[in-house]
Amino acid sequence: MEIVNANCATLSNYEVLKHLQKVKESKMKHKGQLATITYETIRYLENAPCNDQSPQNITECLKALAPYNLNKTEKLMIINTPPTTALEIQLMIEESEERLTEEQVEQILDIITRYSPHVIKDKVEENEEIE
Amino acid sequence: MFILAEMKNVTRIPPELFNLKLNEAIAGELNKKLANKVVLNVGLCIALFDIISLQESFIFPGDGASHTRVKFRYIVFRPFIEEILLGKIRSCSQEGVHVTLGFFDDILIPPSALQHPSKFNETEQAWVWEYDTGDGSKHDLFMDAGESIRFRVTAEMFNETCPMGPITMPETQENPDNKGSINEPGLGLLTWWDN
């Protein structure tokens, strides 16, 4: 075994979930640990926000986030665990207080709400509870 | 959190797998070899992503198996430093809080990286954040097993435990030591920061 490139691409949680679901559905009999690790990883990812995402959502969200000068890992974190509060944005984005104004943080939160079904679903549930 | 690692290998296909298509047999062998293993300096291998190229197969004298050079990409779990992850508390001990992601267990938040001030409650076997409410009184926030927790990755070490074996073959081992921290506002149990 020889490692050519230990990190040739980064995957979002959504991509991993879809790939593992395909692996699980394939009719090939899985030997060794593959069945265990796919089962456990799918279980973790199904409870994560990526379960409700779609490729269109993700690409549109990334396009909308383009003007804010975020780097790749920051965008990846936003897609994997969509923040819902300004506090979470502050955690994910380094030096966010200097790089982003308060209005920009609000705009980013708006964009995330618009494109992540999971946040919208939570909001709907909240409203239902209030009613 | 997840990355693709490009690797190459000479895969041995034993004769009993000759009824399968070559790429299926190779995919099966690669998954058998790597799935759920930690590869040094790469991370925890999850599943084969795709096969990039297959070269001609060889048969060696005295062995009925075929050997094929293969280049492939593998899905690997490797959190990067500073990444924010969501997990569940597995247990608490004097050493700190042990966090699990379900498929990956070895994440430790040491006492120095907990919210300040925190102390270990021996009777409950849980870490407690003594949150200062501002009016002089303290509010105890327990970190019980099973609770969802948000933490920052501060160290990733997929180290080898036994430096043996041929150099070209990365050693695999079971217990990588990954460290996390929750000593910032917004980190810790999700319920702490719910409005």
Side-chain angles (χ1 to χ4, degrees):
Chain A
M1 190 75 53
E2 197 181 315
I3 290 131
V4 181
N5 184 350
N7 188 357
C8 60
T10 323
L11 292 177
S12 71
N13 285 358
Y14 175 81
E15 290 167 291
V16 175
L17 178 64
K18 286 294 146 203
H19 186 83
L20 291 182
Q21 282 171 342
K22 237 188 281 163
V23 171
K24 203 178 159 196
E25 279 159 22
S26 74
K27 288 190 191 111
M28 280 231 335
K29 235 181 129 191
H30 298 313
K31 295 175 224 155
Q33 298 280 309
L34 183 67
T36 322
I37 191 76
T38 45
Y39 171 76
E40 285 175 347
T41 315
I42 289 175
R43 212 175 52 170
Y44 174 78
L45 291 175
E46 274 176 349
N47 292 319
C50 67
N51 201 21
D52 304 314
Q53 283 170 335
S54 69
Q56 294 94 323
N57 267 329
I58 294 175
T59 37
E60 280 169 30
C61 184
L62 285 176
K63 265 184 211 154
L65 288 174
Y68 298 98
N69 252 330
L70 305 176
N71 67 29
K72 200 174 147 192
T73 57
E74 288 163 350
K75 280 189 258 183
L76 181 70
M77 277 196 271
I78 289 180
I79 297 298
N80 281 346
T81 46
T84 48
T85 58
L87 188 62
E88 284 171 67
I89 296 230
Q90 201 187 326
L91 282 171
M92 288 177 190
I93 297 166
E94 222 176 314
E95 313 264 347
S96 64
E97 279 146 346
E98 281 157 43
R99 284 165 58 194
L100 299 169
T101 63
E102 268 177 44
E103 292 93 67
Q104 281 176 316
V105 171
E106 286 300 318
Q107 287 163 3
I108 293 177
L109 284 172
D110 275 349
I111 292 168
I112 293 160
T113 326
R114 210 176 320 141
Y115 292 112
S116 40
H118 130 91
V119 178
I120 297 168
K121 216 166 69 182
D122 276 1
K123 284 246 162 90
V124 172
E125 275 167 23
E126 253 170 50
N127 289 341
E128 278 169 4
E129 270 170 34
I130 292 163
E131 279 161 20
Chain B
M1 179 156 160
F2 294 102
I3 57 165
L4 281 181
E6 192 181 328
M7 304 188 220
K8 56 183 179 186
N9 189 30
V10 179
T11 302
R12 179 179 183 270
I13 305 296
E16 63 264 29
L17 298 178
F18 284 175
N19 60 328
L20 296 175
K21 280 185 195 149
L22 181 63
N23 51 0
E24 279 176 17
I26 287 179
E29 288 299 298
L30 290 174
N31 275 328
K32 192 169 140 194
K33 189 169 181 168
L34 286 170
N36 209 3
K37 298 263 169 30
V38 171
V39 173
L40 175 64
N41 290 335
V42 179
L44 173 71
C45 294
I46 310 278
L48 182 72
F49 188 75
D50 59 359
I51 293 176
I52 301 171
S53 69
L54 286 174
Q55 287 176 12
E56 67 273 36
S57 303
F58 302 93
I59 299 172
F60 295 117
D63 185 3
S66 78
H67 295 74
T68 312
R69 274 180 208 281
V70 52
K71 239 184 176 182
F72 58 97
R73 289 191 293 181
Y74 217 86
I75 300 177
V76 174
F77 170 71
R78 177 172 206 164
F80 51 87
I81 307 273
E82 300 284 288
E83 184 170 8
I84 305 285
L85 288 180
L86 285 177
K88 282 204 162 67
I89 298 180
R90 189 164 56 112
S91 63
C92 290
S93 72
Q94 290 285 7
E95 290 156 33
V97 179
H98 301 268
V99 179
T100 175
L101 296 181
F103 58 97
F104 185 77
D105 283 337
D106 296 291
I107 301 165
L108 176 74
I109 304 171
S112 58
L114 295 174
Q115 294 279 5
H116 191 75
S118 288
K119 67 163 200 266
F120 188 62
N121 187 320
E122 285 285 347
T123 48
E124 297 277 343
Q125 288 293 308
W127 281 90
V128 183
W129 178 23
E130 298 175 311
Y131 177 71
D132 192 348
T133 44
D135 51 13
S137 60
K138 272 180 188 163
H139 189 63
D140 284 354
L141 295 166
F142 281 80
M143 302 180 68
D144 295 316
E147 298 259 24
S148 293
I149 185 169
R150 179 186 285 120
F151 61 96
R152 186 187 289 285
V153 178
T154 48
E156 46 150 3
M157 278 176 283
F158 290 98
N159 285 337
E160 58 191 320
T161 42
C162 46
M164 290 186 295
I167 293 154
T168 49
M169 169 76 195
E171 285 296 309
T172 55
Q173 58 111 12
E174 296 296 320
N175 290 311
D177 197 7
N178 282 263
K179 293 234 164 65
S181 82
I182 54 165
N183 53 358
E184 284 169 74
L187 294 179
L189 299 200
L190 298 189
T191 47
W192 292 353
W193 305 99
D194 266 359
N195 290 324

